[in-house]
Amino acid sequence: MAWRGSHYVVAGGLVVGGLLWAAHEAWSARRMVTARPLVVTAAYDDRADTLRARETLSDLLARAGITGRDYVAFLGATKALDSRRLRPGLVFHVRRLKGDSVTQRLGVRTGPEVRLWMNRLGGDSGWRETVETIAWTKARLRATGVIQTNLYDALDRAVPDSFLPGKERIQLAWAIADVYDWEVDFTRDLRPGDHFEVLIERLESPEGERRFGRILAARVDVAATPSYAFYFEGETARGGFYDDKGRSLRRAFLRAPLQYRRISSRFGGRFHPILNRWRSHQGTDYAAAWGTPVRATADGNVTFAGREGGYGNLIEVRHANGIRTRYGHLSKFAKGLHVGQRVTQDQTIGYVGSTGLSTGPHLHYEFLVNGRATNPQRKDAGPVQAVPSKLKPEFELLRAQLLAELEPRPAASPSPRAATTARVE
């Protein structure tokens, strides 16, 4: 069949189309293929390791694969980490590349304000130390409650974990007891129904950790009688706590020789558990854990430090005005303590034990005036010091400010600095 003109047009179109397709395929074959980007979401393995009891730093680092020369290089690179003074329970954060056994970074909180990082350098170049200062912010908060059994239980009921963690509540309880160390015996003077209020400075880290900072003001009602404490630090005055009249709460003698105060036997007669007979008990017994530090209740000179019959290990301290104090049943004396040594109030002089006539660890404390045993709970603790006259206006202004925060009026409108209140219902 003879070709018509239309046949030639169709054939030409097919040829051109085929050439264009071939050219497109050839260009596509020569183009670079681009893959989707690879996103690494977890390149590291992070874990925490805790320093266990009776462990050394080398034991913990061995679990992190840092041994031998690597361990020596690690110790040589750190100046802030004292391997001899690490306490059990310290948490170390270890980082490794996934699939690798070599630790790349190790971090540890050496203190509330300090975080230490150890980063491995490239190759076998060793380690680099970085010390990070943690910025804690301050907030003024108020807590108030009613005592039913003791101060700590009242705080524990009144203050939630969101306000202060449990361990920090313990610190707050002892801080309140220390403020009133010369005024109130928290094991003897308080009664169910007594009320307390405290204005504190709380610290918070960027991670949301919260801890007790310091007490700014407090009020404790003992037998319906309020006892105030305001922290004041004038230009020439020694920083300390003063009552609402500007009188210092500090006295010549502490009310107790232990910071952990649980009295097991009071001044007076008692049935002796070893001699099995009634005898005069011319002192006060403080039940406490073995090894609890014992502090001098006032400045004085050591006149005896040794073994003395039923007292066991005994320390006697001579003070002014014919007063002597005795500390018996000690497990040991403070390092270097000797007869003739001058000791200061609140200085550790020995440690609780159970030597001599004792059925368990406790401290026997005696308070003698001109050789006569006296009840230390009833003895005047010394003269009262007051805020200097020229600093009185400054103190009164501060007292008014603190009192407004410690005892805010219910009708007052809250201000940006208003304190948060935790209350026993």
Side-chain angles (χ1 to χ4, degrees):
M1 179 182 68
W3 278 38
R4 298 179 180 176
S6 59
H7 291 167
Y8 288 102
V9 172
V10 173
L14 292 174
V15 171
V16 172
L19 291 173
L20 290 174
W21 179 84
H24 172 75
E25 289 300 311
W27 172 253
S28 299
R30 296 179 65 182
R31 274 193 314 174
M32 182 178 295
V33 178
T34 303
R36 291 183 179 179
L38 179 63
V39 179
V40 179
T41 57
Y44 297 99
D45 278 324
D46 290 303
R47 67 180 182 87
D49 196 359
T50 303
L51 186 67
R52 304 163 190 166
R54 295 182 293 278
E55 269 195 340
T56 64
L57 178 62
S58 62
D59 296 324
L60 185 139
L61 292 181
R63 292 197 294 272
I66 304 173
T67 58
R69 292 183 178 180
D70 197 19
Y71 172 70
V72 174
F74 183 98
L75 291 184
T78 178
K79 306 299 181 188
L81 191 63
D82 189 344
S83 59
R84 299 167 298 178
R85 297 185 178 180
L86 300 181
R87 65 186 185 278
L90 208 58
V91 178
F92 289 76
H93 297 276
V94 180
R95 166 169 286 189
R96 294 170 173 163
L97 285 169
K98 278 193 175 293
D100 196 346
S101 61
V102 178
T103 295
Q104 297 296 323
R105 187 176 76 171
L106 185 140
V108 61
R109 284 276 291 276
T110 56
E113 290 85 16
V114 179
R115 181 184 284 111
L116 172 69
W117 295 107
M118 296 296 294
N119 292 281
R120 185 183 295 278
L121 300 175
D124 295 326
S125 303
W127 296 82
R128 181 179 64 248
E129 178 182 73
T130 303
V131 178
E132 175 188 349
T133 300
I134 300 171
W136 292 76
T137 57
K138 298 178 181 178
R140 295 160 80 104
L141 306 174
R142 173 178 176 263
T144 177
V146 177
I147 296 170
Q148 299 298 337
T149 53
N150 57 59
L151 177 62
Y152 172 71
D153 286 344
L155 276 169
D156 203 37
R157 290 193 305 269
V159 178
D161 287 337
S162 59
F163 185 97
L164 271 181
K167 289 184 179 180
E168 298 301 311
R169 292 198 292 272
I170 295 174
Q171 296 303 316
L172 174 57
W174 291 124
I176 296 173
D178 287 340
V179 167
Y180 290 96
D181 223 343
W182 296 266
E183 296 289 312
V184 180
D185 182 346
F186 280 86
T187 63
R188 181 177 185 269
D189 298 339
L190 296 182
R191 295 291 183 268
D194 284 343
H195 178 263
F196 75 88
E197 295 175 344
V198 59
L199 179 68
I200 71 169
E201 197 171 71
R202 188 190 68 186
L203 306 177
E204 185 169 354
S205 73
E207 290 81 10
E209 301 163 293
R210 292 173 175 174
R211 65 188 179 94
F212 166 67
R214 64 187 180 117
I215 292 176
L216 301 173
R219 168 181 168 168
V220 175
D221 292 353
V222 180
T225 302
S227 179
Y228 287 94
F230 302 97
Y231 185 79
F232 176 66
E233 192 174 57
E235 292 182 359
T236 58
R238 178 182 178 183
F241 287 93
Y242 295 81
D243 67 13
D244 55 325
K245 304 297 184 182
R247 299 170 299 193
S248 174
L249 297 187
R250 182 179 292 272
R251 301 290 189 273
F253 283 85
L254 296 169
R255 292 291 295 268
L258 297 177
Q259 287 189 322
Y260 299 90
R261 307 167 183 82
R262 184 169 68 83
I263 297 178
S264 60
S265 180
R266 300 201 179 279
F267 183 87
R270 68 164 181 167
F271 186 81
H272 197 280
I274 292 180
L275 300 179
N276 292 319
R277 61 185 174 88
W278 285 92
R279 61 179 294 184
S280 176
H281 189 241
Q282 299 183 347
T284 303
D285 285 351
Y286 292 83
W290 186 285
T292 299
V294 175
R295 57 186 183 169
T297 53
D299 297 350
N301 294 295
V302 177
T303 57
F304 185 86
R307 192 86 177 188
E308 179 65 21
Y311 287 103
N313 290 330
L314 173 73
I315 295 174
E316 183 176 278
V317 180
R318 184 182 69 246
H319 310 281
N321 302 319
I323 298 175
R324 293 173 182 260
T325 53
R326 290 175 177 169
Y327 311 80
H329 304 312
L330 302 174
S331 60
K332 62 178 181 178
F333 308 122
K335 186 176 181 181
L337 188 82
H338 60 273
V339 172
Q341 178 181 342
R342 180 73 176 173
V343 294
T344 58
Q345 187 180 72
D346 206 32
Q347 177 180 338
T348 297
I349 57 176
Y351 300 89
V352 169
S354 188
T355 55
L357 293 177
S358 170
T359 57
H362 72 283
L363 173 70
H364 175 79
Y365 175 64
E366 290 184 10
F367 192 96
L368 299 96
V369 181
N370 297 321
R372 182 178 179 181
T374 304
N375 186 348
Q377 303 297 321
R378 296 181 179 175
K379 176 64 181 172
D380 183 8
V384 177
Q385 302 295 323
V387 172
S389 298
K390 62 181 179 180
L391 295 176
K392 206 64 177 293
E394 183 182 347
F395 168 75
E396 290 175 350
L397 177 61
L398 176 65
R399 178 194 60 194
Q401 293 172 346
L402 292 175
L403 189 59
E405 294 184 70
L406 181 66
E407 299 178 340
R409 295 180 179 179
S413 58
S415 65
R417 293 182 58 193
T420 299
T421 300
R423 181 182 299 275
V424 173
E425 300 296 334

